């Protein structure tokens, strides 16, 4: 088989998402802030249909030293469509961590945010600290290093050791980069403090919130640190209550296996693809292709690892299934194909993501620990466990004092979790754990469907209406709601 002809096709993978010792969440009062000066936004790439206003806000780099060094946050606003119906502000976060959020309010409107929500709020976006236009951090990552914070699938202990060496180098680069002075201060807790500073600058007593994916953990941290300053909080596609720690990363293997049957059914219903006519045959094809590619290596990683990562990334959304099936066909037949152009390397995305992951939680620092978890997870979750259980730069991170916020149930009952049952990136088990940590503060609406993200991103009227009604009116299901597909 002409393996190298398809390696480029599967290598363009989107950069994605031990229990730590917690510290007390310090809900430092937001420093006095001048009103934001709104003006024209910088050009977004790609452009959005909806136009926002933008501003910058100065915040402390270190909230324990509020009179010390400052950084600038990039903020945006879409004013309430009907000022007569305006309730307040809706802060938003687009996930990641590492996702720029200044354009996110416009993106929400472009994908169909209902008018009732537009009428109710000024919708606020911001690039979190360390990201985009908000004091961006760098790790000076090369194209080869700019791969994913999720490690490649490890075939054996030697692969883990090889990945450890690469991860150690990345951590060292982060600690010596031109933005190293910012490194200890890029965290979820500090981003939550930034959110409260934004609230104060807007002159609001409370804020509502809509966060997706990692943004659910950020929202839960804000609701834990500043419970009485929250109005209506929506967490769509929830991490667990510890955010993206090592336990969450390992759980991605479970999410992969819960989601994969949806793709297997898609393939089995299309016998012309030649990849199997039953879900069991499709699963067997995955195993066979991955094993075949494990025999060859590209850029120090097995081609089987690239194949598994490409499959995982394209399980996020149903719209990616045709592309994923095409990748499998190319691998299966060895047919040369023109690879889709890979996305430009984005050092800031992965660098800022690592800053947050590594500063939020204590990760195991022993390579042997990862060799053991990979061996266990390869058996427990054979499709992707030896990737999700692997080692990344957090094992060697220069900052040894992460600030981990433990989510709790102290505060008003004003949180709604929206969740697909089969989500590869934020599996249902994590959302259940988040709800348990929040206690009576939270209700959950689930939808019997697969893929990442629920509200607006899937055409499920039951789930969409429940979230819209809560945001627009405050009416929330009295008990958990289960929506059919």
């Amino acid at each position: 088989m002409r393996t190298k002809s398809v390696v480029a096709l599967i290598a363009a993978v989107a950069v994605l998402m031990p229990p730590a010792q917690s510290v007390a969440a310090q809900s430092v009062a937001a420093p006095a802030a001048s009103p934001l000066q709104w003006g024209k936004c910088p050009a977004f790439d790609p452009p959005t249909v909806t136009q926002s206003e933008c501003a910058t806000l100065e915040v402390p780099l270190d909230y324990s030293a509020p009179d010390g060094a400052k950084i600038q946050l990039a903020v945006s606003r879409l004013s309430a469509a009907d000022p007569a119906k305006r309730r307040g502000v809706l802060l938003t976060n687009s996930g990641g961590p590492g996702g720029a959020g200044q354009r996110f309010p416009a993106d929400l409107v472009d994908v169909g945010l209902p008018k009732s929500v537009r009428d109710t709020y000024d919708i606020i976006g911001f690039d979190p600290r360390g990201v985009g236009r908000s004091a961006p951090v760098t790790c000076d990552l090369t194209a080869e290093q700019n791969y994913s914070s999720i490690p490649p699938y490890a075939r054996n202990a030697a692969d883990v050791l090889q990945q450890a060496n690469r991860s150690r180098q990345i951590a060292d680069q982060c600690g010596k980069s031109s933005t190293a002075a910012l490194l200890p201060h890029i965290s979820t807790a500090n981003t939550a403090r930034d959110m409260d500073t934004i609230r104060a600058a807007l002159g609001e007593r409370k804020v509502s919130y809509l966060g997706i994916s990692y943004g659910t953990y950020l929202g839960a941290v804000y609701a834990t640190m500043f419970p009485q300053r929250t109005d209506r909080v929506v967490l769509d596609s929830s991490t667990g209550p510890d955010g993206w720690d090592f336990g969450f990363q390992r759980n991605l293997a479970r999410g992969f296996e819960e989601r994969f049957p949806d793709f297997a059914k898609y393939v089995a219903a299309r016998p012309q693809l030649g990849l199997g006519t039953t879900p069991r045959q499709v699963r067997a094809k995955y195993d066979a292709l991955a094993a075949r590619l494990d025999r060859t290596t590209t850029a120090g990683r097995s081609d089987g690892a690239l194949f598994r990562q490409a499959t995982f990334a394209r399980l996020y959304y149903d719209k990616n299934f045709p592309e994923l099936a095409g990748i499998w066909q190319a691998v299966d037949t060895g047919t040369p194909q023109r690879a889709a152009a890979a996305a430009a390397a984005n050092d800031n995305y992965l660098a800022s993501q690592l800053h947050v992951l590594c500063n939020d939680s204590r990760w195991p620092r022993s390579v042997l620990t990862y060799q053991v978890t990979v061996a266990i997870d390869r058996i427990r979750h054979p499709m992707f466990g030896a990737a999700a259980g692997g080692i990344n730069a957090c094992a060697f991170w220069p900052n040894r004092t992460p600030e981990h916020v433990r989510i709790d149930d102290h505060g008003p009952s004003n949180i709604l979790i929206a969740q697909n049952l089969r989500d590869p990136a934020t599996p249902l088990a994590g959302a259940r754990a988040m709800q348990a940590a929040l206690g009576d503060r939270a209700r959950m609406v689930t939808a019997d469907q697969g893929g990442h993200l629920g509200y607006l991103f899937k055409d499920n009227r039951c789930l969409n209406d429940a979230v819209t009604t809560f945001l627009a009116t405050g009416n929330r299901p009295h008990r958990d709601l289960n929506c059919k597909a």
Side-chain angles (χ1 to χ4, degrees):
M1 186 185 81
R2 292 185 287 184
T3 303
K4 297 302 181 183
S5 66
V6 297
V7 166
L9 185 64
I10 65 175
V13 180
V15 177
L16 305 176
M17 123 25 4
Q21 179 180 353
S22 297
V23 297
Q26 301 296 319
S27 54
V28 178
S34 301
L36 293 162
Q37 302 298 312
W38 300 105
K40 185 177 180 180
C41 288
F44 294 133
D45 183 24
T48 63
V49 176
T50 305
Q51 299 301 312
S52 306
E53 300 174 283
C54 288
T56 58
L57 176 65
E58 188 175 80
V59 300
L61 173 62
D62 182 352
Y63 276 88
S64 68
D67 296 326
K70 303 293 194 299
I71 58 174
Q72 301 285 327
L73 298 182
V75 185
S76 68
R77 177 180 69 178
L78 275 175
S79 296
D82 187 343
K85 297 179 180 178
R86 180 187 182 277
R87 176 182 178 84
V89 300
L90 179 70
L91 276 175
T92 62
N93 180 269
S94 64
Q102 192 178 31
R103 62 171 287 153
F104 192 50
D107 288 335
L108 285 170
V109 174
D110 290 350
V111 299
L113 188 69
K115 184 178 185 299
S116 59
V117 180
R118 287 285 319 277
D119 289 345
T120 305
Y121 302 101
D122 294 342
I123 306 170
I124 307 299
F126 67 103
D127 287 355
R129 58 170 54 207
V131 177
R133 296 183 172 93
S134 295
V137 294
T138 180
C139 289
D140 299 316
L141 299 172
T142 66
E144 181 182 328
Q145 290 174 323
N146 200 335
Y147 176 68
S148 173
S149 56
I150 303 171
Y153 188 97
R155 296 164 295 185
N156 47 45
D159 278 357
V160 178
L161 180 60
Q162 186 179 58
Q163 181 61 24
N165 293 333
R166 286 194 289 261
S167 297
R168 184 183 289 106
Q169 177 61 37
I170 290 173
D172 185 64
Q173 289 173 208
C174 295
K176 295 178 179 178
S177 77
S178 59
T179 60
L182 279 65
L183 184 147
H185 307 290
I186 308 301
S187 67
T188 299
N190 278 331
T191 300
R193 296 181 179 108
D194 290 342
M195 288 169 56
D196 204 54
T197 305
I198 294 171
R199 175 202 59 77
L202 292 169
E204 299 288 336
R205 186 173 63 89
K206 294 184 176 182
V207 292
S208 292
Y209 179 81
L210 170 61
I212 63 175
S213 196
Y214 156 78
T216 61
Y217 179 60
L218 173 60
V221 167
Y222 183 83
T224 296
M225 295 175 67
F226 305 98
Q228 301 308 320
R229 297 175 190 170
T230 60
D231 189 8
R232 300 166 184 169
V233 177
V234 173
L235 311 179
D236 180 6
S237 304
S238 183
T239 69
D242 293 313
W244 190 333
D245 64 352
F246 186 45
F248 171 82
Q249 179 175 287
R250 291 181 72 183
N251 205 34
L252 295 176
R254 177 175 178 175
F256 185 114
E257 294 191 356
E258 290 174 346
R259 169 61 163 161
F260 184 80
D262 292 332
F263 176 65
K265 290 178 183 177
Y266 169 88
V267 171
R270 293 162 177 79
Q272 68 275 17
L273 295 174
L275 299 171
T277 58
T278 67
R280 178 176 292 185
Q281 289 178 357
V282 177
R283 166 62 191 272
K285 178 64 71 173
Y286 172 85
D287 292 337
L289 295 178
R292 182 190 304 172
L293 290 171
D294 276 340
R295 302 184 191 117
T296 58
T297 299
T298 298
R301 301 180 180 93
S302 79
D303 294 335
L306 296 174
F307 173 74
R308 292 177 176 95
Q309 197 91 12
T311 298
F312 174 74
R314 288 162 178 82
L315 291 177
Y316 274 41
Y317 309 112
D318 291 356
K319 67 180 181 181
N320 294 334
F321 284 0
E323 179 191 8
L324 180 55
I327 291 172
W328 280 35
Q329 285 179 303
V331 173
D332 190 36
T333 63
T335 304
Q337 294 194 6
R338 183 183 299 276
N346 187 342
D347 167 79
N348 177 241
Y349 185 97
L350 185 54
S352 59
Q353 184 170 96
L354 288 172
H355 279 61
V356 172
L357 305 191
C358 305
N359 285 333
D360 276 4
S361 304
R362 294 189 188 278
W363 292 64
R365 301 190 73 90
S366 165
V367 176
L368 177 60
T369 297
Y370 295 95
Q371 290 174 324
V372 170
T373 57
V374 162
I376 292 171
D377 291 355
R378 185 186 298 110
I379 297 172
R380 181 181 296 167
H381 298 294
M383 299 186 79
F384 202 61
I391 191 168
N392 66 20
C394 294
F396 309 101
W397 199 244
N399 177 27
R400 301 295 187 95
T401 57
E403 181 179 12
H404 180 74
V405 178
R406 185 175 297 279
I407 305 304
D408 62 39
D409 59 356
H410 305 306
S413 183
N414 60 354
I415 299 173
L416 182 64
I417 300 172
Q419 184 73 30
N420 294 333
L421 293 185
R422 299 178 300 282
D423 186 327
T426 52
L428 179 63
R432 297 287 191 210
M434 177 70 86
Q435 184 183 28
L438 291 166
D440 195 53
R441 297 192 68 186
R443 300 288 181 272
M444 186 185 298
V445 53
T446 57
D448 185 8
Q449 58 195 15
H452 191 44
L453 306 180
Y455 184 53
L456 305 181
F457 291 86
K458 299 282 283 190
D459 188 20
N460 188 297
R461 183 172 179 178
C462 172
L463 182 146
N464 287 339
D465 285 355
V467 174
T468 295
T469 298
F470 174 59
L471 287 173
T473 71
N475 293 328
R476 190 185 63 169
H478 295 295
R479 58 182 61 87
D480 290 351
L481 176 64
N482 300 313
C483 297
K484 297 180 180 179

